[in-house]
Amino acid sequence: MVPLYRFAQFDAFDSCMHGISRKLEESHCGFSQALHTGEPAEVIVKNRTRLETYFNHEGATQFVLAEQTHSDHVTCITEVLTRGWEKMEDAVADTDALVCNIPGVMIGVLTADCVPVLLFDPVEKVVAAVHAGWRGTQKRIVAKTVKRMQEEYGSLPSNIIAGIGPAIGGCCYEVGEEVASHFLTYGKSAVMPNAEKFMLDLPQINKFQLMEAGLQKEHISLSGICTACENTDYFSYRKENGCSGRFLSMIGVR
Ligand SMILES: [Zn+2]
């Protein structure tokens, strides 16, 4: 049994499968799921196989990950094909948001402080997984993903349910003015001035962007978990001075 973080609002639907892996100190590489950060590939693939077995029971058959580049590129997955799972070479190139409506196909994003956002439209049965660091958030990648779900799958934003996963919180994410300046319009609940620095709340800003995109406030769940504060359970790039570990947030339709 793999301990996963789950959102109750996704679990309420039989047509949705999802889960967010956690750090497990006793596992190899802390149960990291990242192939691109220099850990031995065979160890990471073994860690992924444990997750795969778990998700197989949920109904997942294929697993798709992307080569994440802090872009605002959104890719719709239209083939029943595992990609980026056993090797990086066949990952979806240069993409930070995946969208899919094929039953059995799990899509996911890797993070360690950046914001993982999972989306599910229970009416059109479409899911999305989004990687939003400060660059992706500046480029409003969650809003662009919602737009693609509208255009390609007919999703109504008011039907979409969102889960904003564990990420570095406003308690710990100190940034300089050059970063903060992009987000000042979101107000003090998102960017708190702190002497010469600013405390940036990226999960909160992503929530605001989802609401601007038409999602209902009550359809958006925040995990409330700060990766730096809860570093024993989640990888934190900041807290661990540039760690190689990443945890994986996945979602799919049955
Ligand atoms: Zn914190």
Side-chain angles (χ1 to χ4, degrees):
M1 190 68 177
V2 187
L4 298 178
Y5 180 87
R6 301 177 73 100
F7 291 100
Q9 58 169 4
F10 293 141
D11 280 334
F13 293 92
D14 279 342
S15 50
C16 184
M17 48 189 181
H18 86 290
I20 298 177
S21 76
R22 291 167 39 167
K23 191 173 171 183
L24 299 173
E25 294 287 4
E26 72 278 12
S27 293
H28 293 294
C29 303
F31 203 51
S32 175
Q33 301 292 320
L35 273 180
H36 65 287
T37 53
E39 310 284 23
E42 64 274 17
V43 169
I44 301 303
V45 169
K46 209 174 266 181
N47 288 346
R48 288 183 174 181
T49 304
R50 266 182 80 187
L51 269 189
E52 185 177 329
T53 306
Y54 178 88
F55 285 131
N56 286 156
H57 292 299
E58 302 242 306
T61 55
Q62 315 291 328
F63 298 83
V64 180
L65 299 179
E67 173 214 1
Q68 300 171 189
T69 56
H70 296 278
S71 71
D72 60 353
H73 305 156
V74 183
T75 299
C76 297
I77 300 302
T78 55
E79 281 178 303
V80 183
L81 192 65
T82 284
R83 297 182 65 182
W85 191 248
E86 285 167 356
K87 53 184 189 295
M88 274 304 291
E89 288 71 25
D90 62 357
V92 182
D94 189 16
T95 288
D96 291 86
L98 297 169
V99 185
C100 188
N101 71 342
I102 307 170
V105 177
M106 290 292 271
I107 51 177
V109 288
L110 292 156
T111 57
D113 283 348
C114 289
V115 188
V117 182
L118 300 178
L119 303 173
F120 171 56
D121 170 1
V123 177
E124 300 299 335
K125 297 196 171 45
V126 186
V127 291
V130 185
H131 162 243
W134 77 261
R135 286 186 180 83
T137 304
Q138 182 206 347
K139 295 169 192 157
R140 308 182 80 258
I141 188 168
V142 285
K144 289 173 183 172
T145 307
V146 169
K147 192 153 178 264
R148 279 296 284 281
M149 290 171 75
Q150 278 180 276
E151 290 169 355
E152 308 264 345
Y153 301 95
S155 292
L156 292 177
S158 58
N159 289 333
I160 296 173
I161 292 166
I164 299 175
I168 194 164
C171 42
C172 295
Y173 193 35
E174 187 178 294
V175 297
E177 192 172 3
E178 72 287 358
V179 173
S181 61
H182 300 294
F183 305 104
L184 295 174
T185 52
Y186 291 100
K188 284 196 173 162
S189 68
V191 192
M192 276 293 290
N194 175 16
E196 301 290 288
K197 300 284 183 177
F198 296 84
M199 304 307 290
L200 191 61
D201 191 337
L202 285 182
Q204 190 62 45
I205 295 168
N206 277 277
K207 181 179 179 178
F208 289 150
Q209 291 182 352
L210 287 167
M211 285 161 60
E212 286 164 8
L215 271 70
Q216 301 185 52
K217 192 178 180 181
E218 58 273 23
H219 283 178
I220 306 169
S221 291
L222 285 157
S223 74
I225 294 171
C226 168
T227 43
C229 289
E230 300 191 35
N231 190 225
T232 47
D233 288 333
Y234 297 94
F235 294 104
S236 172
Y237 191 82
R238 277 248 173 145
K239 186 75 181 277
E240 299 174 71
N241 301 311
C243 64
S244 54
R246 301 285 183 276
F247 57 91
L248 182 56
S249 302
M250 300 207 89
I251 193 163
V253 291
R254 279 198 189 91

